[in-house]
Amino acid sequence: MWKKISILILFAAGIQLGLFSAAGHASEYADTPTEQADGMFIPKQLTFVENMPYYVIPNTLLNQPEGSFAPQTVEVVEAEVHWATSGNWWKIKTDIGDRWVKTAPWQIEVPPPPTLRLMSETPLYARPSEAGGKTAALSPQEVAVVDAEKSWFRQAEGEYNPKRWIKIRTTWLGDQWVHLHLDEIGNLLPLDRQVFYPSIYYNSTPHVDYVSYQYEGYLTSIFVHQTAKFRSLLGSSYQFETAQGPKWAFGPGMPIVPDKQLLKRKQPSPLFVYPDEYSEIAATVPAGELTVTETATDPEAWWGSERWYHVKTDQAEGWFSPTYAEPEDAVDDTASLVLKASVTSIYRFPNTRISLNNGQIGPQTVQPLAAWTAPDGTRWYKISSFVGQGWIQLNPYLDGVVLKDRDQDIQVRSKRSYQGVFYQNEAGEFTHGSDTIGRIMDGEPAFRSDFVASLYHYERIGPDAEGWWTFKHANGYAVQVKDGELAVKTFWDSQPAGVVTLTEAPVKDRDSKQEALLLSLTHLRTLFGITAAYNDKVAYGDKHVTLSTLEHEISGFDLPKTADAGKLHLSGLLYEDLYMDEKEIGPKLQIMVKHREAADAASSVQLAQINHLYKLGYQSGLADIGLDVPLKPGINPLTIQFKVGERIVLQRDWEVTAAGG
C-alpha cells in the first residue's frame, strides 16, 4: 500500500494533463539514459529511507513534484546506472501509474544482485569479520548471493572503493561471507568483438588501485579482440587478447563492425593510418566515391559519438572521418575579421584542435576564404596563412567581424557580471553575512532598496518631501520610486526619460529604520535590468536567488547626419553572452530610435530587430542589428536609446537631414 504524505494538486488544461500523466520510457528524455531493472545491474526493488518527492517526468527543473512518498519499498521499472555513486533517476511503479524519483545513495537501500563473479581467489569467512580468520578460499567463479551488509553499495567518506561484506552460498560450507571492494562486486559478461584503442592503460585484473592509480602497462594505436566485460558498481573493464595473455582495459574502445557502403564526397578526403585524428595522414584522395569496408565508432568523443570509415581504394587505404576533413557545406564569406587577441591558432580542420603545422598569427585584419557553421552553431573561418590554408575560430571577447559594406556598424559587446548568490533561511528571509537583506513578499523574493543600491553602485537619495526615492548611477541613468506608487520615473543625465507603470507598487520594509523600500525581482528586472534566478526547488541546501546583469560596451558609434531617402537605416552587430541558468529570467537589450518632436511619442518609436547569426564560441554568439527610421524631408531631431529593461545603458540625441528639405 502506498503511503502518501503530501499531494500537490496540479491545475492544467485537459491536453496538458494528458501529456504530463502519460507513461513513457526514459529514452524519451535525451538527458536521462536508463536501463531496464534486471536485478543484476539495476535493482528491481528500491527502499526509501526518507521522504522522497516524485515527478511525472525526470526533470526537477521543468516540473514541480506531484507529491512525496514516505519511507517504503517500491518496484523499479528502469533507472540510470550510477545509483550507487551519485544522484540517480528511477522510474517506479505506483498505484497512480509510473512515476520518477531522484535519489542520492544515502537516501536508499537496495537488495544485492542474485549472483556475482569472483575474479580472483577469495577468502571465505563464517561471519562478517576478518578477526576469526578465513574458513576457506574460493577460486574465480560465479556464486549465488544470499545477503549483504546494510548499505553494501555505498562509498565511505574519504574512501572511493571501500570493502563491503557479501553473504554467498557454497556447496560444502553452507552460507559464507566474502569481503570485497566495490569494484569487485560485479558480474562477467561475454564479448566477441574487434575494437581500436588510440591509447589505453591496462592491468592483468579487471580492478584499479584507486590509491596509487598505477597500471601494468600502456598501449597506443592498437586493434584488439575483446572477449569479456566485467561490470561493477564503480564501472566496467574490458578483457582483450595479447601475446602475453589476457589483459584488462578500463575503457570500451571503439567497436569495429563490417559495413560495406559508398560515401560520396565533394571535397578531398584525408585518410588516416588509424581511426584517430592524431595519427598520420596516409593519403588524401580527391573528391568522389569512397569504398567503405567497415566502421569504427568512438562513443566517448567529447562532442558526441564519432564515426570513422575504413576506406580502400586502388591508390590508398586508411580511415576517414567527416569531422577531420574539409566540410562539405562551407560557404563563401565576405566579412572581414579583425583579430585583436595576441595569438590566434590555426587548425587543419574546423571544429577540431589539430594544429596546422603549429601555426599561429597575431593581431591583424584578415579576409576569410570560406566559413562553416559547426553542428553546435559555432562559426569557423578558413584563411590563407604562412603555414598554408587552415581554419580559425574567433575570440568572442576581443575579436570583431566587419560585414561587407558595413564599415560603420555599431558594435555592441555584452558581458555577464555576477553579483552573487543570496540564501533564504527557514523564516523566509534573505541574508548577506549577518544582515537581513530581503524576504518573500506575495510569493516572490524582494530585496531592500539600500542593499540593491549598494550592490549595483547606485547613489540612493531621499526620500524627498513628496516621498520619492532617487537611485542614480554614474553612467547617467536614474530612477525614482515611491512607497505605494505604481508610476515610476526614469531619467538620463538628469533629464526626464520616461514614466513606467509597474504591476505592483514598491512598499516600505517594515523592519527598516531608514524606511527602505522592498523591491521584488520583477521590480529589479524592470527598473535596473537585473537578471535573477529564484531556486526554490533544491534537492540539497537552501533556497536561494542568483543575481547578475548583462553589461554592454558600445563602440563604432558614428551616427549619420544625412539620409538620401525617406528613411534612415542603422545597422550593427551584437556580440552576445549566451549563458543562462535554467531558472533565470532577465530582460534583453533593446535599441530604439524616436522622433523628439513627434506629436504621438509612442508611435514615433522604432525598435531595432536583433537576429542571432551564429555562435562564436562557448556561450558566445553574434547577432545582426537592423533598424529603419522613417524621416520627413528636412531636419529630423532623433534620440537613440540602448536599454535593458527600463535601465538606460546609453542615450544620445542627434539630428538627421533627409533629402527634399
Side-chain angles (χ1 to χ4, degrees):
M1 184 67 183
W2 285 84
K3 295 168 280 184
K4 302 172 193 169
I5 63 171
S6 65
I7 294 291
L8 301 179
I9 300 176
L10 303 178
F11 295 93
I15 188 169
Q16 291 174 311
L17 284 173
L19 285 170
F20 280 103
S21 61
H25 296 291
S27 58
E28 295 170 13
Y29 313 103
D31 59 345
T32 315
T34 64
E35 294 183 10
Q36 295 295 311
D38 58 3
M40 190 71 70
F41 301 111
I42 303 296
K44 289 185 176 182
Q45 288 187 326
L46 176 66
T47 299
F48 306 140
V49 298
E50 57 184 71
N51 297 333
M52 192 62 58
Y54 62 87
Y55 302 83
V56 176
I57 63 172
N59 194 320
T60 57
L61 296 176
L62 292 183
N63 65 323
Q64 296 182 357
E66 265 193 317
S68 183
F69 291 118
Q72 60 190 283
T73 298
V74 299
E75 184 180 345
V76 178
V77 179
E78 57 184 307
E80 293 181 295
V81 300
H82 36 70
W83 52 269
T85 56
S86 64
N88 200 81
W89 281 105
W90 307 74
K91 183 192 275 190
I92 61 173
K93 289 186 178 296
T94 81
D95 58 359
I96 56 173
D98 292 349
R99 290 296 185 266
W100 291 86
V101 294
K102 188 167 189 178
T103 67
W106 57 86
Q107 295 177 306
I108 59 173
E109 290 288 348
V110 299
T115 64
L116 61 83
R117 175 76 180 202
L118 303 178
M119 297 301 293
S120 60
E121 186 172 284
T122 305
L124 299 178
Y125 300 89
R127 59 187 60 84
S129 171
E130 295 184 6
K134 66 181 182 180
T135 56
L138 280 183
S139 59
Q141 60 185 279
E142 184 177 283
V143 295
V145 175
V146 178
D147 199 0
E149 67 169 297
K150 187 177 180 181
S151 305
W152 60 272
F153 57 89
R154 292 186 198 168
Q155 294 170 315
E157 185 175 353
E159 190 173 1
Y160 183 77
N161 189 27
K163 277 190 168 184
R164 297 301 186 197
W165 287 100
I166 307 293
K167 193 175 189 180
I168 66 170
R169 181 147 294 156
T170 71
T171 56
W172 78 103
L173 289 176
D175 293 348
Q176 295 283 297
W177 292 86
V178 291
H179 206 194
L180 303 176
H181 287 285
L182 292 185
D183 73 339
E184 296 176 304
I185 303 174
N187 273 280
L188 193 66
L189 303 171
L191 286 178
D192 181 12
R193 65 180 187 181
Q194 295 294 123
V195 303
F196 173 77
Y197 285 110
S199 62
I200 194 68
Y201 287 99
Y202 67 87
N203 282 339
S204 293
T205 71
H207 310 303
V208 175
D209 184 337
Y210 288 102
V211 177
S212 68
Y213 282 94
Q214 291 186 343
Y215 299 90
E216 182 179 319
Y218 180 73
L219 297 171
T220 60
S221 301
I222 184 170
F223 294 92
V224 300
H225 178 222
Q226 283 183 350
T227 55
K229 171 183 176 180
F230 182 76
R231 181 173 173 181
S232 76
L233 294 175
L234 298 186
S236 297
S237 50
Y238 300 82
Q239 188 180 66
F240 63 95
E241 298 172 344
T242 74
Q244 292 75 39
K247 302 296 181 183
W248 290 88
F250 302 98
M254 299 168 57
I256 299 170
V257 296
D259 186 5
K260 293 185 177 181
Q261 58 175 295
L262 290 177
L263 288 181
K264 294 183 178 180
R265 288 277 299 166
K266 300 176 184 177
Q267 297 285 343
S269 302
L271 302 184
F272 291 77
V273 175
Y274 299 106
D276 175 11
E277 66 271 26
Y278 294 105
S279 66
E280 182 183 351
I281 295 178
T284 299
V285 298
E289 290 186 342
L290 300 179
T291 302
V292 178
T293 60
E294 57 189 0
T295 58
T297 302
D298 184 359
E300 297 183 332
W302 65 271
W303 50 81
S305 183
E306 180 180 87
R307 178 161 294 186
W308 287 81
Y309 301 87
H310 193 185
V311 174
K312 292 184 179 180
T313 71
D314 294 337
Q315 295 79 29
E317 178 181 355
W319 291 85
F320 168 76
S321 171
T323 303
Y324 307 104
E326 290 292 306
E328 300 274 66
D329 52 350
V331 296
D332 293 336
D333 196 297
T334 57
S336 298
L337 308 179
V338 182
L339 306 181
K340 295 184 178 180
S342 59
V343 171
T344 298
S345 297
I346 305 173
Y347 300 101
R348 187 178 188 97
F349 308 111
N351 211 31
T352 72
R353 288 296 180 264
I354 302 177
S355 175
L356 178 63
N357 301 323
N358 297 313
Q360 295 179 335
I361 54 177
Q364 59 186 279
T365 298
V366 298
Q367 306 296 325
L369 304 173
W372 178 71
T373 303
D376 69 350
T378 301
R379 191 76 158 183
W380 286 80
Y381 298 92
K382 187 175 185 178
I383 66 167
S384 182
S385 74
F386 69 99
V387 291
Q389 293 185 2
W391 293 83
I392 64 171
Q393 186 179 358
L394 298 188
N395 182 322
Y397 306 106
L398 297 174
D399 299 338
V401 176
V402 179
L403 300 182
K404 185 179 181 181
D405 300 327
R406 287 176 52 174
D407 296 357
Q408 302 303 314
D409 269 3
I410 299 169
Q411 301 275 323
V412 183
R413 201 174 294 271
S414 64
K415 182 179 180 181
R416 185 175 297 271
S417 172
Y418 280 92
Q419 281 68 53
V421 179
F422 305 97
Y423 291 91
Q424 178 183 339
N425 61 26
E426 293 181 357
E429 297 175 330
F430 291 91
T431 58
H432 183 52
S434 59
D435 297 330
T436 298
I437 57 174
R439 61 173 53 87
I440 297 296
M441 184 175 66
D442 297 329
E444 184 180 20
F447 290 89
R448 288 174 44 154
S449 58
D450 53 345
F451 167 74
V452 173
S454 173
L455 188 66
Y456 286 94
H457 309 293
Y458 282 80
E459 180 184 2
R460 188 173 67 114
I461 306 168
D464 63 15
E466 297 180 355
W468 290 95
W469 286 92
T470 300
F471 298 85
K472 187 175 182 180
H473 198 275
N475 80 329
Y477 173 66
V479 59
Q480 284 187 340
V481 296
K482 183 178 179 180
D483 173 32
E485 180 64 54
L486 290 175
V488 172
K489 307 171 188 177
T490 61
F491 300 83
W492 178 258
D493 283 345
S494 301
Q495 298 300 312
V499 176
V500 182
T501 302
L502 303 175
T503 55
E504 298 286 344
V507 297
K508 288 181 181 179
D509 181 3
R510 61 181 181 270
D511 297 327
S512 171
K513 297 179 181 179
Q514 294 80 25
E515 299 183 336
L517 299 177
L518 279 174
L519 301 175
S520 69
L521 294 189
T522 300
H523 294 148
L524 298 184
R525 294 179 182 116
T526 302
L527 303 179
F528 299 94
I530 292 171
T531 296
Y534 180 34
N535 293 283
D536 59 340
K537 302 290 187 301
V538 292
Y540 316 106
D542 296 325
K543 299 177 182 179
H544 58 275
V545 167
T546 302
L547 298 179
S548 64
T549 51
L550 273 178
E551 305 295 342
H552 296 87
E553 175 188 318
I554 303 169
S555 60
F557 201 45
D558 294 326
L559 294 169
K561 296 181 180 180
T562 61
D564 294 332
K567 69 177 180 180
L568 170 68
H569 179 73
L570 298 177
S571 62
L573 292 174
L574 169 63
Y575 298 82
E576 306 167 294
D577 186 319
L578 299 176
Y579 180 80
M580 179 173 285
D581 288 332
E582 291 198 52
K583 299 197 72 172
E584 77 177 24
I585 302 172
K588 303 297 183 183
L589 176 69
Q590 289 186 312
I591 305 172
M592 58 191 69
V593 172
K594 58 184 177 182
H595 288 261
R596 291 198 302 277
E597 297 179 354
D600 184 356
S603 64
S604 71
V605 175
Q606 306 299 320
L607 190 64
Q609 297 295 315
I610 301 178
N611 299 311
H612 176 78
L613 296 176
Y614 39 75
K615 291 172 64 176
L616 293 177
Y618 178 71
Q619 302 294 357
S620 300
L622 187 69
D624 186 37
I625 302 170
L627 174 60
D628 288 319
V629 183
L631 300 176
K632 61 181 179 62
I635 298 175
N636 293 260
L638 304 176
T639 297
I640 187 169
Q641 269 187 353
F642 297 78
K643 296 171 62 176
V644 180
E646 294 299 328
R647 174 172 65 92
I648 301 172
V649 177
L650 181 65
Q651 178 173 305
R652 186 171 296 179
D653 296 338
W654 92 109
E655 294 180 345
V656 176
T657 301

